[in-house]
Amino acid sequence: ITSPVSLLTASGKFFVECFSGHSAFTLAVVMAFVPALRPWELSHGSQFDVVAGLPVLLAAINCGVIVALHLGTPCQSCTQARVPALRSRLYPLGLPGLTAVQQALVTSGNELASVYATLCLAIHKAGGYVLMENP
């Protein structure tokens, strides 16, 4: 499957990795003989933008094509190991007083968190599996 829209015409049950970076997790899954789809990563083209492609991913989950997800959260704003920190336990949506660049990272991270929550809920309701990195 080479395009997001072709997901909806696929037959079978598949694993898919979102924000895959170099797709090492997908490679491991394929080497274990688990059916997997092309990873959703912007480096594969704008059609693989997880945020913009959320309706297609949800449709594929709801029709049973995607049964397992790995969500590799980009760590520019969500990781606790980031210096300087952009979030805290008291301010999980972003620390006060961030620069414009830092606020943009936080806003993007918050949007991704919302998409992740939507995907997790959908896959859970469908009886599938999800693994999240840097939740």
Side-chain angles (χ1 to χ4, degrees):
I1 295 184
T2 58
S3 76
V5 176
S6 63
L7 275 176
L8 304 180
T9 60
S11 64
K13 297 178 183 295
F14 299 93
F15 163 87
V16 69
E17 181 179 15
C18 297
F19 295 101
S20 60
H22 291 80
S23 306
F25 198 91
T26 298
L27 178 60
V29 166
V30 169
M31 290 176 69
F33 303 103
V34 174
L37 300 172
R38 181 179 192 154
W40 279 57
E41 169 64 51
L42 275 174
S43 64
H44 297 301
S46 61
Q47 70 270 30
F48 290 97
D49 179 343
V50 176
V51 176
L54 180 62
V56 173
L57 289 166
L58 291 173
I61 290 168
N62 290 332
C63 71
V65 172
I66 295 175
V67 297
L69 288 170
H70 177 262
L71 303 173
T73 315
C75 59
Q76 294 93 334
S77 85
C78 295
T79 183
Q80 294 179 13
R82 190 185 194 287
V83 176
L86 302 178
R87 306 167 185 277
S88 71
R89 288 185 193 270
L90 187 57
Y91 297 101
L93 297 178
L95 293 167
L98 296 173
T99 67
V101 171
Q102 291 170 330
Q103 185 59 55
L105 288 172
V106 166
T107 300
S108 175
N110 291 347
E111 182 178 28
L112 294 175
S114 176
V115 167
Y116 277 23
T118 302
L119 287 170
C120 286
L121 183 59
I123 199 90
H124 175 73
K125 283 183 176 179
Y129 304 91
V130 65
L131 171 65
M132 288 181 63
E133 194 175 316
N134 295 323

